[in-house]
Amino acid sequence: MARSALLNVMVEAARKAARSLTRDFGEVENLQVSVKGPSDFVSAADRKAEQILQQELARVRPGYGFLMEEGGVVEGTDPQHRWIIDPLDGTTNFLHGIPMFSVSIALERQGTIVAGVVYNPAMDELFVAERGGGAFLNDRRLRVSKRSALADCVIGTGIPHLGRGDHPAYLKRLQKVMNEVAGVRRCGSAALDLCWVAAGRFDGFWESDLSPWDIAAGILMIREAGGFVTDLDGRDKMLETGTVVAGNEDIHRRLQAIL
């Protein structure tokens, strides 16, 4: 695929941050045997990757603002553009030596996501999308699944855990979905989950209590792969509500009705 100069900047920033994470990921696996555990180490790795992303992106677009998981909001001199970045989506996986984590970068222009990059360095899978230009995995064009019957579908989700989310409400939704589909999967990185919908690996996905940096790039991936994404109420307010329902047109509609 032919990438724009802007997308090339995003890809290079993601790869540079990912190289740092990959080195630290090897150390995390060694730290599993320690009594203290690697939590502090992973927090440092997260912050280091975010600093790399911020430095690289600010160097080429110095006026753009930032919305970051660790660093919060950084106002830019250009009010029309904002980077939304997650340096390590799938922190718990990373912490346990599970190779399902990603670097996620989205560019928001006047409130609309116009470019996205999600990179899983452990699997060397690079997902990229630009508004109107399609979505790609390692230069292969992506299309969402064509399945229309829920009974044939594998649906991704995020499961609330200790201290997070409404557990009873989630279990009610899960039970309804379980009764309709071929399988439910929880992989631990919302950014990758959404990319997997774009790639047709998952036929649909839903999750609540998400942050903008978890989903901004993945939303664009799905839409550029021909899919549909809304919040649980069917609105285009995912970044505000933190809820996501995604799939092709048929599965999105059926999944949203169940949820």
Side-chain angles (χ1 to χ4, degrees):
M1 62 166 290
R3 296 186 193 137
S4 69
L6 187 62
L7 197 59
N8 279 328
V9 165
M10 297 169 69
V11 168
E12 288 308 308
R15 288 192 181 278
K16 188 169 184 178
R19 285 195 291 271
S20 175
L21 287 176
T22 299
R23 289 190 296 269
D24 291 335
F25 185 63
E27 292 299 317
V28 166
E29 292 180 296
N30 295 331
L31 288 168
Q32 293 300 323
V33 299
S34 70
V35 174
K36 182 180 179 183
S39 298
D40 292 341
F41 182 88
V42 172
S43 295
D46 200 339
R47 290 193 298 270
K48 182 166 60 175
E50 185 171 274
Q51 289 169 0
I52 291 171
L53 291 175
Q54 187 176 6
Q55 289 168 1
E56 290 297 306
L57 296 172
R59 179 174 58 82
V60 294
R61 294 293 189 275
Y64 291 9
F66 286 87
L67 176 60
M68 301 177 286
E69 181 182 20
E70 301 296 332
V73 175
V74 177
E75 299 291 347
T77 57
D78 179 351
Q80 306 299 319
H81 292 89
R82 180 172 70 163
W83 300 110
I84 304 176
I85 62 176
D86 190 343
L88 176 53
D89 188 58
T91 304
T92 302
N93 283 348
F94 191 94
L95 179 71
H96 288 267
I98 300 169
M100 285 287 295
F101 58 90
S102 59
V103 178
S104 178
I105 308 171
L107 177 62
E108 185 181 54
R109 177 180 296 141
Q110 297 180 321
T112 299
I113 305 302
V114 297
V117 170
V118 177
Y119 182 47
N120 177 358
M123 300 176 70
D124 193 25
E125 290 195 332
L126 177 69
F127 297 87
V128 300
E130 284 189 279
R131 191 169 186 231
F136 297 82
L137 165 57
N138 294 347
D139 294 332
R140 178 175 61 83
R141 184 70 179 259
L142 296 180
R143 299 298 297 176
V144 293
S145 162
K146 294 183 178 180
R147 295 182 183 89
S148 58
L150 278 173
D152 298 327
C153 290
V154 171
I155 304 297
T157 187
I159 301 173
H161 50 80
L162 181 66
R164 290 289 299 274
D166 185 336
H167 294 202
Y170 175 81
L171 290 173
K172 288 172 68 175
R173 290 186 175 122
L174 177 62
Q175 185 174 26
K176 289 182 178 181
V177 174
M178 286 166 56
N179 289 332
E180 300 283 346
V181 303
V184 179
R185 301 288 184 269
R186 196 284 196 267
C187 292
S189 167
L192 286 177
D193 289 331
L194 292 172
C195 289
W196 282 25
V197 174
R201 296 172 179 175
F202 288 157
D203 300 289
F205 176 80
W206 95 94
E207 189 170 354
S208 301
D209 298 300
L210 292 163
S211 298
W213 45 80
D214 297 322
I215 57 178
I219 287 169
L220 183 65
M221 298 289 171
I222 292 174
R223 288 178 170 169
E224 289 300 318
F228 288 72
V229 190
T230 65
D231 64 13
L232 283 175
D233 294 321
R235 302 171 300 175
D236 188 21
K237 293 184 178 295
M238 297 77 68
L239 301 187
E240 292 90 344
T241 65
T243 66
V244 169
V245 184
N248 65 33
E249 185 175 10
D250 289 334
I251 297 307
H252 171 268
R253 183 177 65 251
R254 289 181 168 87
L255 191 57
Q256 197 225 335
I258 292 172
L259 295 169

mmCIF file of all heavy atoms in Angstrom, residues 67-99:
data_model
loop_
_atom_site.group_PDB
_atom_site.id
_atom_site.type_symbol
_atom_site.label_atom_id
_atom_site.label_comp_id
_atom_site.label_asym_id
_atom_site.label_seq_id
_atom_site.Cartn_x
_atom_site.Cartn_y
_atom_site.Cartn_z
ATOM 1 N N LEU A 67 -3.668 13.429 23.718
ATOM 2 C CA LEU A 67 -4.454 12.778 24.760
ATOM 3 C C LEU A 67 -3.795 11.426 24.988
ATOM 4 O O LEU A 67 -3.787 10.575 24.091
ATOM 5 C CB LEU A 67 -5.908 12.597 24.337
ATOM 6 C CG LEU A 67 -6.803 11.833 25.316
ATOM 7 C CD1 LEU A 67 -6.873 12.520 26.670
ATOM 8 C CD2 LEU A 67 -8.198 11.619 24.738
ATOM 9 N N MET A 68 -3.229 11.229 26.192
ATOM 10 C CA MET A 68 -2.394 10.054 26.450
ATOM 11 C C MET A 68 -2.857 9.339 27.710
ATOM 12 O O MET A 68 -3.375 9.965 28.645
ATOM 13 C CB MET A 68 -0.931 10.481 26.615
ATOM 14 C CG MET A 68 -0.366 11.197 25.414
ATOM 15 S SD MET A 68 1.346 11.762 25.664
ATOM 16 C CE MET A 68 1.057 13.166 26.760
ATOM 17 N N GLU A 69 -2.621 8.023 27.734
ATOM 18 C CA GLU A 69 -3.023 7.236 28.895
ATOM 19 C C GLU A 69 -2.286 7.686 30.151
ATOM 20 O O GLU A 69 -2.884 7.860 31.215
ATOM 21 C CB GLU A 69 -2.744 5.746 28.651
ATOM 22 C CG GLU A 69 -3.176 4.876 29.816
ATOM 23 C CD GLU A 69 -2.862 3.414 29.605
ATOM 24 O OE1 GLU A 69 -2.001 3.088 28.768
ATOM 25 O OE2 GLU A 69 -3.477 2.593 30.292
ATOM 26 N N GLU A 70 -0.983 7.855 30.051
ATOM 27 C CA GLU A 70 -0.187 8.209 31.226
ATOM 28 C C GLU A 70 -0.088 9.721 31.418
ATOM 29 O O GLU A 70 -0.204 10.234 32.525
ATOM 30 C CB GLU A 70 1.219 7.605 31.108
ATOM 31 C CG GLU A 70 1.247 6.097 30.974
ATOM 32 C CD GLU A 70 0.706 5.385 32.189
ATOM 33 O OE1 GLU A 70 0.789 5.933 33.298
ATOM 34 O OE2 GLU A 70 0.168 4.271 32.026
ATOM 35 N N GLY A 71 0.138 10.436 30.337
ATOM 36 C CA GLY A 71 0.425 11.862 30.420
ATOM 37 C C GLY A 71 -0.789 12.770 30.388
ATOM 38 O O GLY A 71 -0.661 13.977 30.578
ATOM 39 N N GLY A 72 -1.969 12.197 30.121
ATOM 40 C CA GLY A 72 -3.180 13.005 30.100
ATOM 41 C C GLY A 72 -3.264 13.913 28.889
ATOM 42 O O GLY A 72 -2.782 13.584 27.803
ATOM 43 N N VAL A 73 -3.864 15.075 29.081
ATOM 44 C CA VAL A 73 -4.088 16.026 27.999
ATOM 45 C C VAL A 73 -2.933 17.018 27.921
ATOM 46 O O VAL A 73 -2.533 17.602 28.925
ATOM 47 C CB VAL A 73 -5.409 16.798 28.209
ATOM 48 C CG1 VAL A 73 -5.586 17.872 27.135
ATOM 49 C CG2 VAL A 73 -6.592 15.838 28.198
ATOM 50 N N VAL A 74 -2.401 17.188 26.715
ATOM 51 C CA VAL A 74 -1.396 18.214 26.446
ATOM 52 C C VAL A 74 -1.952 19.078 25.319
ATOM 53 O O VAL A 74 -2.151 18.594 24.197
ATOM 54 C CB VAL A 74 -0.045 17.595 26.038
ATOM 55 C CG1 VAL A 74 0.953 18.698 25.683
ATOM 56 C CG2 VAL A 74 0.509 16.713 27.141
ATOM 57 N N GLU A 75 -2.232 20.330 25.622
ATOM 58 C CA GLU A 75 -2.800 21.223 24.619
ATOM 59 C C GLU A 75 -1.738 21.614 23.596
ATOM 60 O O GLU A 75 -0.588 21.862 23.941
ATOM 61 C CB GLU A 75 -3.351 22.486 25.286
ATOM 62 C CG GLU A 75 -4.472 22.232 26.291
ATOM 63 C CD GLU A 75 -5.755 21.763 25.641
ATOM 64 O OE1 GLU A 75 -5.858 21.863 24.394
ATOM 65 O OE2 GLU A 75 -6.655 21.303 26.374
ATOM 66 N N GLY A 76 -2.154 21.669 22.326
ATOM 67 C CA GLY A 76 -1.253 22.100 21.272
ATOM 68 C C GLY A 76 -1.617 23.483 20.758
ATOM 69 O O GLY A 76 -2.695 24.003 21.050
ATOM 70 N N THR A 77 -0.738 24.059 19.978
ATOM 71 C CA THR A 77 -1.032 25.365 19.377
ATOM 72 C C THR A 77 -1.985 25.233 18.198
ATOM 73 O O THR A 77 -2.600 26.208 17.775
ATOM 74 C CB THR A 77 0.267 26.036 18.910
ATOM 75 O OG1 THR A 77 0.948 25.159 17.986
ATOM 76 C CG2 THR A 77 1.185 26.327 20.093
ATOM 77 N N ASP A 78 -2.109 24.023 17.657
ATOM 78 C CA ASP A 78 -3.059 23.737 16.580
ATOM 79 C C ASP A 78 -4.290 23.086 17.204
ATOM 80 O O ASP A 78 -4.275 21.904 17.537
ATOM 81 C CB ASP A 78 -2.414 22.799 15.562
ATOM 82 C CG ASP A 78 -3.350 22.435 14.413
ATOM 83 O OD1 ASP A 78 -4.553 22.760 14.492
ATOM 84 O OD2 ASP A 78 -2.883 21.806 13.447
ATOM 85 N N PRO A 79 -5.401 23.828 17.362
ATOM 86 C CA PRO A 79 -6.570 23.274 18.044
ATOM 87 C C PRO A 79 -7.359 22.274 17.201
ATOM 88 O O PRO A 79 -8.275 21.623 17.709
ATOM 89 C CB PRO A 79 -7.417 24.516 18.337
ATOM 90 C CG PRO A 79 -7.060 25.474 17.250
ATOM 91 C CD PRO A 79 -5.607 25.229 16.964
ATOM 92 N N GLN A 80 -6.990 22.135 15.933
ATOM 93 C CA GLN A 80 -7.739 21.239 15.042
ATOM 94 C C GLN A 80 -7.247 19.793 15.102
ATOM 95 O O GLN A 80 -7.957 18.894 14.664
ATOM 96 C CB GLN A 80 -7.620 21.736 13.593
ATOM 97 C CG GLN A 80 -8.026 23.182 13.388
ATOM 98 C CD GLN A 80 -9.465 23.440 13.761
ATOM 99 O OE1 GLN A 80 -10.349 22.645 13.468
ATOM 100 N NE2 GLN A 80 -9.703 24.553 14.447
ATOM 101 N N HIS A 81 -6.051 19.565 15.632
ATOM 102 C CA HIS A 81 -5.443 18.239 15.582
ATOM 103 C C HIS A 81 -5.033 17.764 16.975
ATOM 104 O O HIS A 81 -4.533 18.552 17.781
ATOM 105 C CB HIS A 81 -4.208 18.239 14.677
ATOM 106 C CG HIS A 81 -4.530 18.452 13.235
ATOM 107 N ND1 HIS A 81 -4.593 19.708 12.670
ATOM 108 C CD2 HIS A 81 -4.808 17.559 12.243
ATOM 109 C CE1 HIS A 81 -4.895 19.591 11.382
ATOM 110 N NE2 HIS A 81 -5.027 18.304 11.092
ATOM 111 N N ARG A 82 -5.217 16.458 17.191
ATOM 112 C CA ARG A 82 -4.818 15.869 18.464
ATOM 113 C C ARG A 82 -4.422 14.413 18.260
ATOM 114 O O ARG A 82 -5.126 13.646 17.602
ATOM 115 C CB ARG A 82 -5.976 15.964 19.467
ATOM 116 C CG ARG A 82 -5.660 15.380 20.824
ATOM 117 C CD ARG A 82 -6.759 15.679 21.836
ATOM 118 N NE ARG A 82 -7.992 14.945 21.551
ATOM 119 C CZ ARG A 82 -8.970 14.766 22.445
ATOM 120 N NH1 ARG A 82 -8.861 15.291 23.660
ATOM 121 N NH2 ARG A 82 -10.065 14.106 22.104
ATOM 122 N N TRP A 83 -3.284 14.047 18.824
ATOM 123 C CA TRP A 83 -2.879 12.648 18.862
ATOM 124 C C TRP A 83 -3.544 11.969 20.069
ATOM 125 O O TRP A 83 -3.550 12.517 21.161
ATOM 126 C CB TRP A 83 -1.362 12.517 19.021
ATOM 127 C CG TRP A 83 -0.528 13.132 17.950
ATOM 128 C CD1 TRP A 83 0.263 14.243 18.057
ATOM 129 C CD2 TRP A 83 -0.351 12.658 16.612
ATOM 130 N NE1 TRP A 83 0.896 14.497 16.878
ATOM 131 C CE2 TRP A 83 0.538 13.532 15.968
ATOM 132 C CE3 TRP A 83 -0.885 11.581 15.889
ATOM 133 C CZ2 TRP A 83 0.913 13.371 14.640
ATOM 134 C CZ3 TRP A 83 -0.507 11.416 14.577
ATOM 135 C CH2 TRP A 83 0.385 12.303 13.963
ATOM 136 N N ILE A 84 -4.080 10.773 19.837
ATOM 137 C CA ILE A 84 -4.641 9.964 20.923
ATOM 138 C C ILE A 84 -3.811 8.682 20.973
ATOM 139 O O ILE A 84 -3.846 7.878 20.025
ATOM 140 C CB ILE A 84 -6.126 9.634 20.686
ATOM 141 C CG1 ILE A 84 -6.929 10.926 20.502
ATOM 142 C CG2 ILE A 84 -6.693 8.820 21.841
ATOM 143 C CD1 ILE A 84 -8.394 10.701 20.162
ATOM 144 N N ILE A 85 -3.041 8.498 22.051
ATOM 145 C CA ILE A 85 -2.072 7.403 22.043
ATOM 146 C C ILE A 85 -2.155 6.546 23.299
ATOM 147 O O ILE A 85 -2.416 7.019 24.396
ATOM 148 C CB ILE A 85 -0.626 7.935 21.872
ATOM 149 C CG1 ILE A 85 -0.205 8.839 23.020
ATOM 150 C CG2 ILE A 85 -0.490 8.669 20.546
ATOM 151 C CD1 ILE A 85 1.247 9.291 22.930
ATOM 152 N N ASP A 86 -1.958 5.271 23.077
ATOM 153 C CA ASP A 86 -1.820 4.293 24.157
ATOM 154 C C ASP A 86 -0.506 3.559 23.914
ATOM 155 O O ASP A 86 -0.395 2.798 22.951
ATOM 156 C CB ASP A 86 -2.987 3.311 24.150
ATOM 157 C CG ASP A 86 -3.027 2.434 25.399
ATOM 158 O OD1 ASP A 86 -1.999 2.357 26.096
ATOM 159 O OD2 ASP A 86 -4.074 1.812 25.662
ATOM 160 N N PRO A 87 0.492 3.776 24.753
ATOM 161 C CA PRO A 87 1.802 3.174 24.505
ATOM 162 C C PRO A 87 1.843 1.676 24.764
ATOM 163 O O PRO A 87 2.701 0.980 24.234
ATOM 164 C CB PRO A 87 2.711 3.908 25.487
ATOM 165 C CG PRO A 87 1.806 4.289 26.611
ATOM 166 C CD PRO A 87 0.490 4.612 25.963
ATOM 167 N N LEU A 88 0.895 1.184 25.583
ATOM 168 C CA LEU A 88 0.887 -0.245 25.911
ATOM 169 C C LEU A 88 -0.548 -0.661 26.234
ATOM 170 O O LEU A 88 -0.990 -0.589 27.373
ATOM 171 C CB LEU A 88 1.814 -0.541 27.091
ATOM 172 C CG LEU A 88 1.860 -1.975 27.616
ATOM 173 C CD1 LEU A 88 2.147 -2.971 26.494
ATOM 174 C CD2 LEU A 88 2.896 -2.113 28.733
ATOM 175 N N ASP A 89 -1.273 -1.065 25.207
ATOM 176 C CA ASP A 89 -2.631 -1.570 25.406
ATOM 177 C C ASP A 89 -2.538 -3.086 25.587
ATOM 178 O O ASP A 89 -2.059 -3.791 24.704
ATOM 179 C CB ASP A 89 -3.506 -1.231 24.197
ATOM 180 C CG ASP A 89 -4.957 -1.578 24.461
ATOM 181 O OD1 ASP A 89 -5.518 -1.054 25.431
ATOM 182 O OD2 ASP A 89 -5.523 -2.382 23.700
ATOM 183 N N GLY A 90 -2.997 -3.543 26.732
ATOM 184 C CA GLY A 90 -2.813 -4.944 27.091
ATOM 185 C C GLY A 90 -1.747 -5.094 28.159
ATOM 186 O O GLY A 90 -0.943 -6.025 28.131
ATOM 187 N N THR A 91 -1.769 -4.160 29.112
ATOM 188 C CA THR A 91 -0.738 -4.140 30.151
ATOM 189 C C THR A 91 -0.716 -5.422 30.972
ATOM 190 O O THR A 91 0.355 -5.942 31.305
ATOM 191 C CB THR A 91 -0.948 -2.934 31.089
ATOM 192 O OG1 THR A 91 -0.975 -1.739 30.311
ATOM 193 C CG2 THR A 91 0.165 -2.839 32.115
ATOM 194 N N THR A 92 -1.884 -5.949 31.306
ATOM 195 C CA THR A 92 -1.930 -7.182 32.107
ATOM 196 C C THR A 92 -1.319 -8.350 31.347
ATOM 197 O O THR A 92 -0.594 -9.172 31.922
ATOM 198 C CB THR A 92 -3.380 -7.498 32.521
ATOM 199 O OG1 THR A 92 -3.902 -6.395 33.265
ATOM 200 C CG2 THR A 92 -3.433 -8.742 33.388
ATOM 201 N N ASN A 93 -1.587 -8.432 30.044
ATOM 202 C CA ASN A 93 -0.937 -9.464 29.232
ATOM 203 C C ASN A 93 0.578 -9.299 29.277
ATOM 204 O O ASN A 93 1.331 -10.269 29.472
ATOM 205 C CB ASN A 93 -1.416 -9.378 27.782
ATOM 206 C CG ASN A 93 -2.805 -9.957 27.584
ATOM 207 O OD1 ASN A 93 -3.343 -10.615 28.467
ATOM 208 N ND2 ASN A 93 -3.382 -9.696 26.420
ATOM 209 N N PHE A 94 1.034 -8.082 29.056
ATOM 210 C CA PHE A 94 2.467 -7.778 29.087
ATOM 211 C C PHE A 94 3.069 -8.185 30.425
ATOM 212 O O PHE A 94 4.135 -8.804 30.489
ATOM 213 C CB PHE A 94 2.648 -6.274 28.846
ATOM 214 C CG PHE A 94 4.057 -5.831 28.594
ATOM 215 C CD1 PHE A 94 4.536 -5.703 27.301
ATOM 216 C CD2 PHE A 94 4.908 -5.508 29.636
ATOM 217 C CE1 PHE A 94 5.835 -5.264 27.054
ATOM 218 C CE2 PHE A 94 6.201 -5.075 29.408
ATOM 219 C CZ PHE A 94 6.666 -4.955 28.113
ATOM 220 N N LEU A 95 2.361 -7.862 31.489
ATOM 221 C CA LEU A 95 2.812 -8.157 32.845
ATOM 222 C C LEU A 95 3.023 -9.652 33.074
ATOM 223 O O LEU A 95 3.913 -10.063 33.814
ATOM 224 C CB LEU A 95 1.774 -7.617 33.831
ATOM 225 C CG LEU A 95 1.980 -7.814 35.323
ATOM 226 C CD1 LEU A 95 3.113 -6.935 35.814
ATOM 227 C CD2 LEU A 95 0.702 -7.463 36.076
ATOM 228 N N HIS A 96 2.203 -10.461 32.400
ATOM 229 C CA HIS A 96 2.257 -11.914 32.593
ATOM 230 C C HIS A 96 3.005 -12.640 31.470
ATOM 231 O O HIS A 96 2.958 -13.880 31.398
ATOM 232 C CB HIS A 96 0.842 -12.471 32.715
ATOM 233 C CG HIS A 96 0.184 -12.119 34.015
ATOM 234 N ND1 HIS A 96 0.227 -12.943 35.124
ATOM 235 C CD2 HIS A 96 -0.493 -11.024 34.395
ATOM 236 C CE1 HIS A 96 -0.411 -12.367 36.123
ATOM 237 N NE2 HIS A 96 -0.861 -11.191 35.712
ATOM 238 N N GLY A 97 3.671 -11.891 30.619
ATOM 239 C CA GLY A 97 4.426 -12.527 29.551
ATOM 240 C C GLY A 97 3.573 -13.095 28.442
ATOM 241 O O GLY A 97 4.002 -13.989 27.705
ATOM 242 N N ILE A 98 2.343 -12.575 28.276
ATOM 243 C CA ILE A 98 1.434 -13.028 27.214
ATOM 244 C C ILE A 98 1.612 -12.111 26.006
ATOM 245 O O ILE A 98 1.431 -10.893 26.135
ATOM 246 C CB ILE A 98 -0.026 -13.006 27.699
ATOM 247 C CG1 ILE A 98 -0.194 -13.940 28.909
ATOM 248 C CG2 ILE A 98 -0.981 -13.403 26.575
ATOM 249 C CD1 ILE A 98 -1.534 -13.786 29.618
ATOM 250 N N PRO A 99 1.940 -12.638 24.845
ATOM 251 C CA PRO A 99 2.312 -11.785 23.710
ATOM 252 C C PRO A 99 1.123 -11.203 22.949
ATOM 253 O O PRO A 99 1.053 -11.265 21.718
ATOM 254 C CB PRO A 99 3.136 -12.729 22.834
ATOM 255 C CG PRO A 99 2.534 -14.073 23.095
ATOM 256 C CD PRO A 99 2.146 -14.067 24.551
#
